[in-house]
Amino acid sequence: MKNTLVFSIATLGLLASLSHYAFAQDIEHIHLSKSETLQLDEVFKQALLNAPQYREIAARNEQAQSHEDIGQSWIAGRPNVQLDYIDDRSLSNLGEKELTYGIELPLWRPGQKREMQALGQRYSQQASLWQQSFTLSIAGQLRTALADLQATEMLQALEQQATEDARTLLSAVEKLFDAGEVAQLDVMQARSLLLAQQRNELAADARRVDAERTYYVLTGLSAIPSTPLSETRIEAEEVPLDHPVLQLLQSNIDLEDANISKALNTAKGNPTLTIGSRRQKADAYADYSNALALSISVPIGGKSFVSAAGSAARRAKVDAQVQYYTAVRELNSKLHEVEHELFTLDLALPMAREQAELSRAQWEMARSAFELGETDMSRVVIALQQARASAKEYETLSLQYQRLIIESNQIIGVLP
Protein backbone atom coordinates (compact mmCIF):
# COMPACT_ATOMS: atom_id res chain seq x y z
CA MET A 1 0.00 0.00 0.00
CA LYS A 2 1.27 3.42 -0.87
CA ASN A 3 1.42 6.20 1.66
CA THR A 4 -0.27 8.76 -0.54
CA LEU A 5 -3.40 10.40 0.80
CA VAL A 6 -4.61 11.76 -2.55
CA PHE A 7 -7.43 9.57 -3.78
CA SER A 8 -9.51 9.56 -6.94
CA ILE A 9 -13.04 10.93 -6.96
CA ALA A 10 -14.32 7.58 -8.19
CA THR A 11 -12.83 5.74 -5.22
CA LEU A 12 -14.24 8.25 -2.75
CA GLY A 13 -17.65 7.92 -4.40
CA LEU A 14 -17.60 4.16 -3.92
CA LEU A 15 -16.54 4.49 -0.30
CA ALA A 16 -19.20 7.10 0.38
CA SER A 17 -21.87 4.74 -0.96
CA LEU A 18 -20.68 2.07 1.47
CA SER A 19 -20.53 4.38 4.50
CA HIS A 20 -24.27 5.03 4.87
CA TYR A 21 -25.70 5.53 8.33
CA ALA A 22 -26.06 2.21 10.18
CA PHE A 23 -28.54 3.11 12.91
CA ALA A 24 -30.80 0.20 11.99
CA GLN A 25 -27.84 -2.14 12.38
CA ASP A 26 -27.24 -0.95 15.95
CA ILE A 27 -30.88 -1.53 16.89
CA GLU A 28 -31.50 -4.82 15.11
CA HIS A 29 -27.95 -6.28 15.34
CA ILE A 30 -27.84 -6.84 11.59
CA HIS A 31 -24.33 -7.91 10.68
CA LEU A 32 -22.19 -5.96 8.24
CA SER A 33 -22.45 -7.10 4.66
CA LYS A 34 -19.50 -8.60 2.83
CA SER A 35 -18.43 -7.04 -0.44
CA GLU A 36 -16.64 -8.91 -3.20
CA THR A 37 -15.46 -5.65 -4.77
CA LEU A 38 -14.30 -3.84 -1.64
CA GLN A 39 -10.54 -4.16 -1.31
CA LEU A 40 -8.30 -3.73 1.72
CA ASP A 41 -6.51 -0.69 0.28
CA GLU A 42 -9.85 1.10 -0.18
CA VAL A 43 -10.84 0.33 3.41
CA PHE A 44 -7.44 1.60 4.56
CA LYS A 45 -7.83 4.87 2.65
CA GLN A 46 -11.27 5.41 4.15
CA ALA A 47 -9.93 4.70 7.65
CA LEU A 48 -7.26 7.37 7.09
CA LEU A 49 -9.83 9.91 5.93
CA ASN A 50 -12.14 9.03 8.81
CA ALA A 51 -9.46 9.40 11.50
CA PRO A 52 -9.64 12.55 13.68
CA GLN A 53 -5.85 12.97 13.31
CA TYR A 54 -6.28 13.42 9.55
CA ARG A 55 -7.06 17.07 10.25
CA GLU A 56 -3.52 17.56 11.53
CA ILE A 57 -1.97 17.06 8.10
CA ALA A 58 -2.95 20.47 6.74
CA ALA A 59 -2.02 22.21 10.01
CA ARG A 60 1.44 20.60 10.12
CA ASN A 61 2.12 21.44 6.47
CA GLU A 62 1.05 25.03 7.10
CA GLN A 63 3.37 25.23 10.12
CA ALA A 64 6.29 23.94 8.05
CA GLN A 65 5.56 26.33 5.19
CA SER A 66 5.35 29.35 7.51
CA HIS A 67 8.80 28.60 8.99
CA GLU A 68 10.26 28.08 5.53
CA ASP A 69 8.85 31.46 4.49
CA ILE A 70 10.52 33.10 7.50
CA GLY A 71 13.85 31.58 6.51
CA GLN A 72 13.48 33.10 3.03
CA SER A 73 12.73 36.59 4.33
CA TRP A 74 15.45 39.28 4.00
CA ILE A 75 14.65 40.68 7.44
CA ALA A 76 14.61 38.86 10.78
CA GLY A 77 11.13 39.84 11.93
CA ARG A 78 8.18 42.13 11.52
CA PRO A 79 9.10 45.74 10.53
CA ASN A 80 7.81 48.66 12.58
CA VAL A 81 6.80 52.16 11.51
CA GLN A 82 8.36 54.86 13.71
CA LEU A 83 7.06 58.42 14.10
CA ASP A 84 8.44 61.23 16.35
CA TYR A 85 6.94 64.73 16.49
CA ILE A 86 8.17 67.79 18.45
CA ASP A 87 6.24 71.08 18.81
CA ASP A 88 7.01 73.74 21.48
CA ARG A 89 3.83 75.83 21.14
CA SER A 90 2.47 74.70 24.52
CA LEU A 91 5.75 75.55 26.34
CA SER A 92 8.34 78.10 25.08
CA ASN A 93 6.36 78.77 21.87
CA LEU A 94 9.42 79.74 19.79
CA GLY A 95 8.04 77.97 16.76
CA GLU A 96 10.35 74.96 16.97
CA LYS A 97 8.98 71.96 15.14
CA GLU A 98 10.45 68.59 14.28
CA LEU A 99 8.99 65.52 12.54
CA THR A 100 10.90 62.29 12.21
CA TYR A 101 9.40 59.26 10.55
CA GLY A 102 10.80 56.01 9.24
CA ILE A 103 10.63 52.23 9.21
CA GLU A 104 12.45 49.99 11.69
CA LEU A 105 13.85 46.76 10.21
CA PRO A 106 15.08 43.84 12.37
CA LEU A 107 18.27 42.41 10.92
CA TRP A 108 19.62 38.86 10.89
CA ARG A 109 22.55 37.99 13.08
CA PRO A 110 25.46 36.28 11.28
CA GLY A 111 24.34 32.75 10.39
CA GLN A 112 20.85 33.25 11.86
CA LYS A 113 19.05 33.21 8.52
CA ARG A 114 20.71 29.94 7.57
CA GLU A 115 19.68 28.47 10.92
CA MET A 116 16.09 29.62 10.41
CA GLN A 117 16.05 27.98 6.97
CA ALA A 118 17.26 24.76 8.59
CA LEU A 119 14.47 25.03 11.16
CA GLY A 120 11.90 25.34 8.35
CA GLN A 121 13.34 22.23 6.72
CA ARG A 122 13.08 20.38 10.05
CA TYR A 123 9.40 21.27 10.34
CA SER A 124 8.79 20.17 6.75
CA GLN A 125 10.59 16.88 7.36
CA GLN A 126 8.67 16.33 10.58
CA ALA A 127 5.34 16.93 8.81
CA SER A 128 6.19 14.27 6.23
CA LEU A 129 7.41 11.77 8.83
CA TRP A 130 4.38 12.40 11.03
CA GLN A 131 2.16 11.48 8.10
CA GLN A 132 4.03 8.19 7.67
CA SER A 133 3.72 7.44 11.39
CA PHE A 134 0.02 8.34 11.29
CA THR A 135 -0.47 6.00 8.33
CA LEU A 136 1.19 3.13 10.23
CA SER A 137 -0.89 3.85 13.34
CA ILE A 138 -4.16 3.65 11.40
CA ALA A 139 -2.92 0.49 9.70
CA GLY A 140 -2.44 -1.06 13.13
CA GLN A 141 -5.94 -0.09 14.24
CA LEU A 142 -7.41 -1.49 11.02
CA ARG A 143 -5.43 -4.70 11.39
CA THR A 144 -6.77 -5.16 14.91
CA ALA A 145 -10.34 -4.42 13.84
CA LEU A 146 -10.23 -6.89 10.94
CA ALA A 147 -8.59 -9.55 13.10
CA ASP A 148 -11.31 -9.09 15.73
CA LEU A 149 -13.99 -9.41 13.04
CA GLN A 150 -12.45 -12.62 11.77
CA ALA A 151 -12.08 -14.05 15.29
CA THR A 152 -15.62 -13.26 16.41
CA GLU A 153 -17.07 -14.61 13.17
CA MET A 154 -15.14 -17.84 13.57
CA LEU A 155 -16.15 -18.22 17.22
CA GLN A 156 -19.76 -17.61 16.32
CA ALA A 157 -19.54 -20.34 13.67
CA LEU A 158 -18.12 -22.72 16.28
CA GLU A 159 -20.94 -21.93 18.69
CA GLN A 160 -23.47 -22.44 15.92
CA GLN A 161 -21.97 -25.84 15.17
CA ALA A 162 -22.02 -26.71 18.86
CA THR A 163 -25.68 -25.66 19.04
CA GLU A 164 -26.49 -27.85 16.05
CA ASP A 165 -24.70 -30.78 17.73
CA ALA A 166 -26.67 -30.20 20.94
CA ARG A 167 -29.91 -30.01 18.94
CA THR A 168 -29.03 -33.26 17.15
CA LEU A 169 -28.36 -34.91 20.51
CA LEU A 170 -31.67 -33.71 21.92
CA SER A 171 -33.52 -35.03 18.89
CA ALA A 172 -31.89 -38.45 19.32
CA VAL A 173 -32.66 -38.53 23.06
CA GLU A 174 -36.31 -37.61 22.47
CA LYS A 175 -36.65 -40.43 19.96
CA LEU A 176 -35.15 -42.88 22.42
CA PHE A 177 -37.45 -41.56 25.15
CA ASP A 178 -40.48 -42.03 22.92
CA ALA A 179 -39.32 -45.61 22.34
CA GLY A 180 -39.03 -46.09 26.10
CA GLU A 181 -35.29 -46.68 26.02
CA VAL A 182 -34.15 -43.71 28.13
CA ALA A 183 -35.50 -41.84 31.13
CA GLN A 184 -37.10 -38.41 31.24
CA LEU A 185 -34.02 -37.20 33.11
CA ASP A 186 -31.88 -37.79 30.03
CA VAL A 187 -34.25 -35.67 27.94
CA MET A 188 -34.12 -32.89 30.49
CA GLN A 189 -30.34 -33.03 30.58
CA ALA A 190 -30.09 -32.84 26.78
CA ARG A 191 -32.58 -29.96 26.74
CA SER A 192 -30.59 -28.10 29.39
CA LEU A 193 -27.42 -28.62 27.37
CA LEU A 194 -29.08 -27.12 24.28
CA LEU A 195 -30.35 -24.08 26.20
CA ALA A 196 -26.91 -23.42 27.66
CA GLN A 197 -25.34 -23.71 24.22
CA GLN A 198 -27.90 -21.33 22.72
CA ARG A 199 -26.89 -18.75 25.32
CA ASN A 200 -23.27 -19.25 24.30
CA GLU A 201 -24.26 -18.62 20.69
CA LEU A 202 -26.06 -15.40 21.64
CA ALA A 203 -22.98 -14.21 23.54
CA ALA A 204 -20.78 -14.96 20.50
CA ASP A 205 -23.18 -13.00 18.29
CA ALA A 206 -22.98 -10.03 20.67
CA ARG A 207 -19.17 -10.09 20.54
CA ARG A 208 -19.30 -10.08 16.77
CA VAL A 209 -21.63 -7.07 16.79
CA ASP A 210 -19.18 -5.23 19.07
CA ALA A 211 -16.31 -5.98 16.69
CA GLU A 212 -18.36 -4.80 13.73
CA ARG A 213 -19.23 -1.59 15.56
CA THR A 214 -15.53 -0.93 16.19
CA TYR A 215 -14.82 -1.45 12.49
CA TYR A 216 -17.66 0.86 11.50
CA VAL A 217 -16.46 3.64 13.82
CA LEU A 218 -12.91 3.27 12.48
CA THR A 219 -13.77 3.26 8.77
CA GLY A 220 -17.30 4.63 8.49
CA LEU A 221 -18.10 1.70 6.19
CA SER A 222 -21.07 -0.65 6.51
CA ALA A 223 -19.40 -3.36 4.42
CA ILE A 224 -16.27 -5.43 4.91
CA PRO A 225 -14.04 -7.16 2.36
CA SER A 226 -15.10 -10.74 1.72
CA THR A 227 -11.45 -11.84 1.69
CA PRO A 228 -10.09 -12.25 5.25
CA LEU A 229 -6.97 -10.36 6.22
CA SER A 230 -3.91 -12.56 5.85
CA GLU A 231 -0.26 -11.51 5.89
CA THR A 232 3.11 -13.13 5.36
CA ARG A 233 5.53 -12.72 8.19
CA ILE A 234 8.48 -10.40 7.51
CA GLU A 235 11.51 -11.70 9.38
CA ALA A 236 13.50 -9.14 11.38
CA GLU A 237 15.76 -9.61 14.39
CA GLU A 238 15.57 -5.95 15.41
CA VAL A 239 13.25 -3.07 14.66
CA PRO A 240 14.80 -1.16 11.71
CA LEU A 241 15.93 2.41 12.31
CA ASP A 242 13.84 3.57 9.34
CA HIS A 243 10.69 2.60 11.27
CA PRO A 244 8.16 5.46 10.81
CA VAL A 245 7.76 6.01 14.55
CA LEU A 246 11.52 6.07 15.15
CA GLN A 247 12.06 8.40 12.21
CA LEU A 248 9.42 10.76 13.61
CA LEU A 249 11.03 10.72 17.05
CA GLN A 250 14.45 11.33 15.46
CA SER A 251 12.99 14.31 13.61
CA ASN A 252 11.78 15.63 16.97
CA ILE A 253 15.39 15.51 18.20
CA ASP A 254 16.59 17.35 15.09
CA LEU A 255 13.83 19.92 15.49
CA GLU A 256 14.67 20.56 19.13
CA ASP A 257 18.32 20.90 18.15
CA ALA A 258 17.36 23.61 15.65
CA ASN A 259 15.16 25.22 18.29
CA ILE A 260 18.22 25.63 20.53
CA SER A 261 19.75 28.04 18.03
CA LYS A 262 16.43 29.80 17.63
CA ALA A 263 16.04 30.21 21.40
CA LEU A 264 19.57 31.57 21.77
CA ASN A 265 19.10 34.10 18.97
CA THR A 266 15.73 35.16 20.33
CA ALA A 267 17.24 35.71 23.78
CA LYS A 268 20.17 37.68 22.32
CA GLY A 269 17.83 39.90 20.33
CA ASN A 270 18.32 41.23 16.82
CA PRO A 271 19.99 44.44 15.68
CA THR A 272 17.58 46.88 14.04
CA LEU A 273 18.07 49.43 11.28
CA THR A 274 15.77 52.44 11.06
CA ILE A 275 15.56 54.31 7.77
CA GLY A 276 13.52 57.51 7.52
CA SER A 277 13.45 61.25 7.13
CA ARG A 278 13.59 64.25 9.46
CA ARG A 279 11.80 67.56 8.80
CA GLN A 280 12.49 70.41 11.23
CA LYS A 281 12.85 74.17 11.81
CA ALA A 282 14.52 75.93 14.73
CA ASP A 283 11.98 78.77 15.23
CA ALA A 284 8.98 80.44 13.70
CA TYR A 285 11.10 82.51 11.31
CA ALA A 286 13.31 79.70 10.05
CA ASP A 287 12.61 77.58 7.00
CA TYR A 288 12.04 73.84 7.21
CA SER A 289 15.08 71.66 6.61
CA ASN A 290 14.87 68.03 5.48
CA ALA A 291 17.40 65.32 6.16
CA LEU A 292 17.84 61.59 5.84
CA ALA A 293 17.54 59.80 9.20
CA LEU A 294 19.41 56.57 9.83
CA SER A 295 19.81 54.77 13.13
CA ILE A 296 20.94 51.33 14.22
CA SER A 297 20.30 49.48 17.47
CA VAL A 298 22.41 46.56 18.65
CA PRO A 299 21.46 44.57 21.81
CA ILE A 300 24.35 43.82 24.15
CA GLY A 301 24.90 41.80 27.33
CA GLY A 302 22.21 39.67 28.93
CA LYS A 303 24.34 36.53 29.18
CA SER A 304 22.24 35.06 31.99
CA PHE A 305 19.01 35.46 29.99
CA VAL A 306 20.60 33.84 26.94
CA SER A 307 21.93 30.98 29.06
CA ALA A 308 18.50 30.35 30.62
CA ALA A 309 16.79 30.26 27.22
CA GLY A 310 19.43 27.86 25.89
CA SER A 311 19.16 25.52 28.86
CA ALA A 312 15.39 25.19 28.42
CA ALA A 313 15.82 24.36 24.74
CA ARG A 314 18.57 21.83 25.49
CA ARG A 315 16.32 20.20 28.09
CA ALA A 316 13.62 19.80 25.42
CA LYS A 317 16.17 18.10 23.15
CA VAL A 318 17.15 15.66 25.91
CA ASP A 319 13.46 14.84 26.49
CA ALA A 320 13.12 14.09 22.77
CA GLN A 321 16.17 11.82 22.94
CA VAL A 322 14.70 9.97 25.92
CA GLN A 323 11.47 9.37 23.98
CA TYR A 324 13.45 8.03 21.02
CA TYR A 325 15.56 5.54 22.96
CA THR A 326 12.57 4.48 25.05
CA ALA A 327 10.62 3.75 21.86
CA VAL A 328 13.53 1.71 20.45
CA ARG A 329 13.66 -0.37 23.61
CA GLU A 330 9.89 -0.91 23.79
CA LEU A 331 9.52 -1.83 20.12
CA ASN A 332 12.36 -4.37 20.27
CA SER A 333 10.96 -5.81 23.49
CA LYS A 334 7.54 -6.27 21.87
CA LEU A 335 9.12 -7.82 18.78
CA HIS A 336 11.06 -10.39 20.80
CA GLU A 337 7.97 -11.22 22.84
CA VAL A 338 5.92 -11.82 19.68
CA GLU A 339 8.70 -13.97 18.21
CA HIS A 340 8.70 -16.13 21.33
CA GLU A 341 4.92 -16.57 21.17
CA LEU A 342 5.12 -17.51 17.49
CA PHE A 343 7.79 -20.11 18.28
CA THR A 344 5.58 -21.60 20.99
CA LEU A 345 2.52 -21.71 18.74
CA ASP A 346 4.52 -23.40 15.99
CA LEU A 347 4.86 -26.32 18.39
CA ALA A 348 1.39 -26.16 19.91
CA LEU A 349 -0.76 -25.89 16.76
CA PRO A 350 -0.21 -29.43 15.40
CA MET A 351 -1.05 -30.90 18.82
CA ALA A 352 -4.16 -28.74 19.16
CA ARG A 353 -5.35 -29.79 15.70
CA GLU A 354 -4.89 -33.47 16.50
CA GLN A 355 -6.66 -33.05 19.83
CA ALA A 356 -9.60 -31.34 18.11
CA GLU A 357 -9.87 -34.18 15.60
CA LEU A 358 -9.76 -36.83 18.34
CA SER A 359 -12.35 -35.02 20.46
CA ARG A 360 -14.68 -34.74 17.47
CA ALA A 361 -14.31 -38.45 16.76
CA GLN A 362 -14.96 -39.29 20.43
CA TRP A 363 -18.14 -37.21 20.36
CA GLU A 364 -19.40 -39.00 17.26
CA MET A 365 -18.61 -42.37 18.83
CA ALA A 366 -20.24 -41.43 22.14
CA ARG A 367 -23.40 -40.28 20.39
CA SER A 368 -23.61 -43.48 18.36
CA ALA A 369 -22.97 -45.58 21.46
CA PHE A 370 -25.70 -43.74 23.35
CA GLU A 371 -28.19 -44.33 20.56
CA LEU A 372 -27.34 -48.03 20.76
CA GLY A 373 -27.71 -48.01 24.53
CA GLU A 374 -24.03 -48.74 25.14
CA THR A 375 -23.28 -45.65 27.27
CA ASP A 376 -25.07 -43.19 29.47
CA MET A 377 -26.04 -39.57 28.93
CA SER A 378 -23.33 -38.08 31.13
CA ARG A 379 -20.57 -39.52 28.97
CA VAL A 380 -22.20 -38.13 25.85
CA VAL A 381 -22.43 -34.65 27.38
CA ILE A 382 -18.79 -34.77 28.45
CA ALA A 383 -17.74 -35.85 24.96
CA LEU A 384 -19.73 -33.05 23.35
CA GLN A 385 -18.27 -30.43 25.68
CA GLN A 386 -14.74 -31.70 25.08
CA ALA A 387 -15.25 -31.62 21.31
CA ARG A 388 -16.52 -28.06 21.49
CA ALA A 389 -13.67 -26.92 23.76
CA SER A 390 -10.98 -28.60 21.62
CA ALA A 391 -12.33 -27.15 18.38
CA LYS A 392 -12.54 -23.70 19.95
CA GLU A 393 -9.02 -23.94 21.31
CA TYR A 394 -7.56 -24.98 17.96
CA GLU A 395 -9.34 -22.26 15.99
CA THR A 396 -8.41 -19.69 18.64
CA LEU A 397 -4.74 -20.68 18.45
CA SER A 398 -4.84 -20.54 14.64
CA LEU A 399 -6.26 -17.02 14.71
CA GLN A 400 -3.79 -16.02 17.41
CA TYR A 401 -0.94 -17.22 15.21
CA GLN A 402 -2.13 -15.09 12.30
CA ARG A 403 -2.70 -12.15 14.64
CA LEU A 404 0.87 -12.46 15.95
CA ILE A 405 2.19 -12.37 12.38
CA ILE A 406 0.19 -9.19 11.78
CA GLU A 407 1.45 -7.74 15.06
CA SER A 408 5.05 -8.60 14.18
CA ASN A 409 4.74 -6.82 10.84
CA GLN A 410 3.13 -3.83 12.56
CA ILE A 411 5.93 -3.62 15.13
CA ILE A 412 8.68 -3.49 12.50
CA GLY A 413 6.73 -0.88 10.52
CA VAL A 414 5.39 -2.90 7.58
CA LEU A 415 2.08 -1.79 6.08
CA PRO A 416 -0.55 -4.43 5.22
Side-chain angles (χ1 to χ4, degrees):
M1 259 184 282
K2 298 180 179 179
N3 291 340
T4 178
L5 296 176
V6 181
F7 314 123
S8 66
I9 297 177
T11 300
L12 292 178
L14 171 63
L15 296 174
S17 67
L18 294 172
S19 58
H20 64 272
Y21 190 63
F23 179 76
Q25 172 193 322
D26 296 337
I27 299 300
E28 301 176 11
H29 283 199
I30 299 175
H31 294 294
L32 297 179
S33 61
K34 291 189 176 182
S35 173
E36 297 288 342
T37 59
L38 184 61
Q39 301 299 317
L40 178 60
D41 58 344
E42 296 173 335
V43 176
F44 181 60
K45 292 174 184 178
Q46 184 62 22
L48 289 171
L49 292 172
N50 198 51
Q53 299 93 328
Y54 182 78
R55 295 162 178 79
E56 291 189 39
I57 295 176
R60 287 178 176 271
N61 289 334
E62 181 182 356
Q63 181 187 34
Q65 186 61 51
S66 64
H67 281 81
E68 290 182 352
D69 292 343
I70 292 175
Q72 298 299 326
S73 175
W74 58 279
I75 57 176
R78 183 181 61 183
N80 296 316
V81 174
Q82 189 178 50
L83 176 65
D84 295 325
Y85 179 70
I86 299 176
D87 191 334
D88 70 345
R89 72 177 64 185
S90 60
L91 296 174
S92 58
N93 197 24
L94 297 176
E96 180 183 0
K97 293 183 179 180
E98 181 179 327
L99 174 64
T100 303
Y101 54 91
I103 184 169
E104 185 181 65
L105 304 173
L107 304 179
W108 294 108
R109 285 180 171 271
Q112 185 182 5
K113 182 176 181 179
R114 182 174 60 255
E115 293 171 352
M116 184 58 69
Q117 291 173 344
L119 180 62
Q121 293 173 358
R122 293 287 185 270
Y123 273 109
S124 179
Q125 181 186 39
Q126 187 190 56
S128 176
L129 294 175
W130 179 89
Q131 188 168 325
Q132 295 179 25
S133 178
F134 160 69
T135 301
L136 180 63
S137 174
I138 297 301
Q141 296 178 41
L142 182 60
R143 280 166 158 157
T144 299
L146 291 174
D148 289 342
L149 282 175
Q150 186 176 351
T152 54
E153 185 177 354
M154 181 276 297
L155 292 175
Q156 184 186 29
L158 286 177
E159 298 296 352
Q160 289 173 342
Q161 179 60 52
T163 300
E164 185 61 30
D165 290 339
R167 186 175 288 111
T168 300
L169 176 61
L170 175 60
S171 177
V173 173
E174 288 177 337
K175 290 180 180 178
L176 292 174
F177 175 75
D178 292 340
E181 298 182 10
V182 297
Q184 178 69 32
L185 182 61
D186 290 335
V187 177
M188 295 173 64
Q189 189 174 4
R191 179 62 180 170
S192 178
L193 180 64
L194 176 60
L195 291 173
Q197 182 52 45
Q198 286 175 331
R199 290 198 303 271
N200 291 336
E201 184 178 342
L202 287 174
D205 183 77
R207 288 191 292 268
R208 180 180 174 185
V209 170
D210 289 340
E212 289 175 336
R213 178 62 183 172
T214 300
Y215 169 86
Y216 174 76
V217 171
L218 178 64
T219 65
L221 299 175
S222 59
I224 59 177
S226 58
T227 303
L229 176 63
S230 179
E231 296 186 27
T232 302
R233 182 185 178 189
I234 307 299
E235 298 285 347
E237 295 183 0
E238 300 288 338
V239 174
L241 296 182
D242 61 353
H243 189 286
V245 173
L246 297 183
Q247 284 192 315
L248 176 61
L249 293 175
Q250 180 61 54
S251 75
N252 291 341
I253 298 175
D254 298 337
L255 180 61
E256 294 300 341
D257 188 53
N259 276 327
I260 293 176
S261 299
K262 178 183 177 182
L264 292 175
N265 287 321
T266 300
K268 292 177 182 178
N270 291 88
T272 58
L273 173 66
T274 303
I275 304 175
S277 178
R278 173 179 291 178
R279 179 178 175 82
Q280 66 178 351
K281 65 177 183 174
D283 54 49
Y285 303 102
D287 293 330
Y288 279 102
S289 64
N290 298 303
L292 176 65
L294 293 176
S295 67
I296 188 168
S297 172
V298 179
I300 60 175
K303 181 178 180 180
S304 59
F305 296 100
V306 174
S307 178
S311 64
R314 282 188 286 271
R315 171 64 185 276
K317 178 182 177 180
V318 172
D319 290 342
Q321 290 174 327
V322 170
Q323 292 179 2
Y324 174 84
Y325 291 112
T326 300
V328 172
R329 178 179 297 181
E330 291 179 349
L331 286 172
N332 280 306
S333 177
K334 290 180 181 178
L335 178 61
H336 296 156
E337 182 179 346
V338 168
E339 288 177 343
H340 178 71
E341 292 184 31
L342 284 170
F343 174 78
T344 302
L345 284 180
D346 273 329
L347 301 177
L349 273 173
M351 293 182 287
R353 180 175 61 251
E354 183 178 359
Q355 183 177 1
E357 293 172 352
L358 289 174
S359 297
R360 185 70 188 180
Q362 289 173 354
W363 146 242
E364 297 290 348
M365 292 174 63
R367 187 183 64 181
S368 299
F370 177 77
E371 292 175 353
L372 296 174
E374 297 176 354
T375 188
D376 58 16
M377 185 65 184
S378 61
R379 293 183 179 276
V380 177
V381 172
I382 292 174
L384 177 58
Q385 291 174 337
Q386 287 179 342
R388 172 181 172 273
S390 298
K392 185 176 182 179
E393 181 180 7
Y394 171 66
E395 294 297 339
T396 300
L397 290 178
S398 298
L399 288 175
Q400 184 181 356
Y401 189 81
Q402 179 60 33
R403 186 187 287 264
L404 287 172
I405 291 177
I406 293 173
E407 185 177 351
S408 175
N409 291 344
Q410 175 72 23
I411 290 173
I412 64 177
V414 177
L415 293 174

